[in-house]
Amino acid sequence: MQVHIETDNHVEGRQALIEHVEGVIRDAVDRYEGRVTHVEAHLGDMNSGEKSGADDMRCLLEARVAGLKNIAVKHQAESLHMAIEGAAGKLTNALDSALGKLHDRERRHAGTGELSADAARELDDDAPPVN
């Protein structure tokens, strides 16, 4: 899985920050490593670095998942680390939901309900016409 990190002009892209973000992302998607092919992290300061305030740091994560549309989540917090942790938690929940639904659809598709309907149609086709 590839991890790509982008920052705006107001966030310093130090190596320690990059390593932290990569570690948090890998922990968040660890269960789905075979399905998640790429994660992009966009880090930014919503107040342009000129002033600080509540929830002015933002982390947007976009995961590319095999067989699904991209999944994007964002979290804003007072610090960059809190925004990263919050977005990672949201990404885990979104992956749980999306891949869980996909798994359910795949399971139901080959389930007995659909097979029974197909078998019933075949039986109807073979039955003698009713007068």
Side-chain angles (χ1 to χ4, degrees):
M1 173 184 71
Q2 295 179 345
V3 177
H4 181 75
I5 300 164
E6 293 183 11
T7 63
D8 67 13
N9 294 338
H10 307 289
V11 175
E12 294 179 22
R14 296 180 301 251
Q15 188 62 32
L17 176 63
I18 291 170
E19 290 173 7
H20 173 72
V21 173
E22 285 182 358
V24 170
I25 289 171
R26 290 187 190 284
D27 287 346
V29 301
D30 188 39
R31 287 188 281 196
Y32 302 114
E33 188 175 347
R35 301 293 304 260
V36 176
T37 60
H38 187 93
V39 177
E40 287 186 19
H42 301 271
L43 309 174
D45 184 343
M46 302 303 292
N47 288 338
S48 307
E50 295 173 7
K51 54 186 173 182
S52 64
D55 298 342
D56 68 333
M57 302 306 280
R58 178 187 59 134
C59 177
L60 178 119
L61 299 177
E62 183 178 0
R64 293 190 177 97
V65 184
L68 291 175
K69 293 180 180 179
N70 292 354
I71 296 174
V73 297
K74 72 176 179 178
H75 190 79
Q76 289 182 220
E78 61 188 57
S79 76
L80 196 52
H81 286 281
M82 290 172 66
I84 294 163
E85 295 288 336
K90 288 180 180 181
L91 182 59
T92 299
N93 291 340
L95 288 169
D96 287 344
S97 178
L99 291 171
K101 287 177 185 177
L102 180 64
H103 177 71
D104 285 347
R105 268 183 272 155
E106 289 170 351
R107 189 173 41 103
R108 273 191 241 135
H109 183 68
T112 58
E114 192 165 306
L115 294 175
S116 297
D118 290 340
R121 274 189 233 106
E122 288 176 14
L123 289 175
D124 286 345
D125 291 341
D126 293 338
V130 178
N131 291 333

